[in-house]
Amino acid sequence: MEKIRISKLMAEQGLCSRREADSYIERGWVRVDGAVVSELGSKAYPNQKITLDRQAQRRQTARVTILLNKPVGYVSGQAEQGYRPAVSLITARSQYRADKAAQRFDPAHLRGLAPAGRLDIDSQGLLVLTQDGRIARQLINDDSEIEKEYLVRVEGKMAGNGLKLLNHGLSLDGKVLRPAHVSWQNEDQLRFILQEGKKRQIRRMCELVGLKVVGLKRVRMGRIVLGDLPPGQWRYLRDGERFI
């Protein structure tokens, strides 16, 4: 059995992100089998027990995760081509009035806030922004099994075996897609449930079976649903709410 960088092990175990792990190690907040580790690049065996000191645990508890109903016309990440980033919608004025979380808006909650999963500029719905590397890893890691659910309005005539192919059998960028759950909701709307998120995946999948997407809305990520959160407004992920 080979030793692995402790920061990598911590990320794989869901303790924090690798960047956070390095920060905690530098501060002496990481223990391996009870012994403090403070040197970056240190390694351990995968079966050794890694724990965080209380200082690191308190820092993680203070980090926020925000659920935004992103409107069309905003980019998920950094501003581009004159379009505003979704994070610009996170203000005291746009916080959902029915938000039941204990927190109230603080500008410090914007520091390090990053989207955990893309929602392209032409799409709307649930966008998660977080300061917590553990949540980001849950949602966007390559091996994530968290479901993302979308309502998709389409135009055109689907190929005869199109629905079967949407569920399983399509490839993008030379790779076979994971099985999906796709069904008709009405004559012009499909429901997609995916466990992956390639760039513009749903739009490209639909094109492969003869359909054009004219509207796309993400309504769920894991156990978290968009619900009645109005477009352009946001709320905090509450204590006790979990994606898995």
Side-chain angles (χ1 to χ4, degrees):
M1 184 183 298
E2 290 188 13
K3 287 188 173 183
I4 300 173
R5 285 180 67 110
I6 293 171
S7 58
K8 182 178 180 181
L9 286 173
M10 291 171 68
E12 290 177 348
Q13 293 173 16
L15 292 172
C16 58
S17 69
R18 293 185 68 167
R19 180 180 296 179
E20 289 169 334
D22 285 338
S23 174
Y24 296 161
I25 290 169
E26 284 185 312
R27 290 171 168 80
W29 292 351
V30 177
R31 295 175 182 268
V32 176
D33 288 343
V36 173
V37 176
S38 57
E39 183 178 342
L40 290 177
S42 296
K43 296 183 178 182
Y45 292 108
N47 61 354
Q48 290 185 275
K49 185 175 181 180
I50 302 173
T51 55
L52 296 178
D53 281 359
R54 289 182 179 178
Q55 296 96 316
Q57 293 174 12
R58 283 197 295 268
R59 177 170 290 194
Q60 288 184 319
T61 300
R63 290 181 174 167
V64 302
T65 296
I66 284 173
L67 312 175
L68 169 69
N69 187 346
K70 186 191 85 69
V72 171
Y74 287 80
V75 293
S76 297
Q78 298 296 318
E80 56 185 63
Q81 298 177 347
Y83 293 105
R84 295 175 64 193
V87 72
S88 67
L89 292 168
I90 310 302
T91 66
R93 180 175 294 182
S94 59
Q95 184 175 4
Y96 185 34
R97 288 186 178 182
D99 192 347
K100 298 178 181 178
Q103 299 110 317
R104 302 317 296 169
F105 177 73
D106 185 323
H109 294 163
L110 298 176
R111 298 193 197 112
L113 193 67
R118 292 177 56 89
L119 194 58
D120 67 53
I121 193 169
D122 300 318
S123 301
Q124 61 181 308
L126 181 60
L127 180 66
V128 177
L129 301 108
T130 186
Q131 294 176 326
D132 192 331
R134 298 168 299 172
I135 287 178
R137 185 184 183 280
Q138 284 180 9
L139 294 175
I140 63 178
N141 203 56
D142 287 342
D143 61 1
S144 174
E145 295 186 356
I146 291 180
E147 292 181 343
K148 290 87 172 176
E149 183 174 343
Y150 305 81
L151 297 178
V152 185
R153 286 192 299 110
V154 294
E155 292 179 346
K157 185 175 181 180
M158 181 186 285
N161 62 342
L163 191 61
K164 181 179 179 181
L165 288 173
L166 288 173
N167 277 275
H168 194 210
L170 295 177
S171 298
L172 292 177
D173 305 321
K175 294 184 179 180
V176 177
L177 296 173
R178 292 189 197 179
H181 297 282
V182 185
S183 59
W184 284 106
Q185 298 305 291
N186 53 51
E187 62 183 11
D188 67 350
Q189 183 170 257
L190 289 162
R191 181 182 301 272
F192 277 73
I193 299 177
L194 308 177
Q195 287 184 321
E196 58 189 332
K198 295 182 180 296
K199 188 174 182 180
R200 299 181 75 82
Q201 178 173 335
I202 291 176
R203 296 175 189 277
R204 295 164 68 193
M205 289 173 70
C206 287
E207 288 174 0
L208 291 173
V209 297
L211 297 175
K212 178 183 178 182
V213 173
V214 294
L216 190 154
K217 182 178 184 180
R218 184 156 63 202
V219 296
R220 179 173 66 89
M221 296 182 75
R223 295 180 178 179
I224 304 301
V225 297
L226 181 65
D228 57 3
L229 186 64
Q233 295 188 29
W234 61 275
R235 70 172 181 87
Y236 289 106
L237 183 72
R238 298 187 292 270
D239 290 342
E241 285 190 308
R242 299 288 185 271
F243 289 94
I244 55 176

